[in-house]
Amino acid sequence: VQLQASGGGLVQAGASLRLSCTASGLTFRLATMGWFRQFPGKEREFVASISRSGTTTNYVDSVKGRFTISRDNAKSTVFLQMNSLKPEDTAVYYCAVGQWGSTAQARSVNRYEYWGQGTQVTVSS
């Protein structure tokens, strides 16, 4: 399984970014997908997840109303639309594939088994 994430960058506070993550080597439509982020010196933390069909999503409270996770199963791609970015959103963002049988309620790092390489998001004030 390979995950290729892209879309990170340097933006000013209030701007938007759209992260993409394209998967290969798996039946994408059968996988719960998630986005995590990692701050310097901190453990990786949950940001958002989406069910196999895309009908159920889950967000950490700090991004609710600003971030939107979505997926295109035909293109084996999951997205994270990030609006109204804040300096505290600065982190490396990772996409991940949920373990078999997991749902969009899965927030623990341990519930995800394949990870992308990470893409840096930097928000300046």
Side-chain angles (χ1 to χ4, degrees), residues 3 5 39 56 58 61 71 78-79 84 89 91 108 114:
L3 301 173
F39 303 111
T56 302
N58 194 10
D61 285 347
R71 65 190 296 162
V78 62
F79 305 97
S84 302
D89 294 317
S108 169
Y114 300 107

Side-chain angles (χ1 to χ4, degrees), residues 1 6 16-17 25 27 46 53 61 63 67 74 76 94 107 116 120:
V1 176
S6 61
S16 299
L17 280 174
T27 306
F46 173 81
S53 65
D61 285 347
V63 308
F67 291 12
S76 298
Y94 297 89
R107 294 185 170 218
Q120 176 71 46

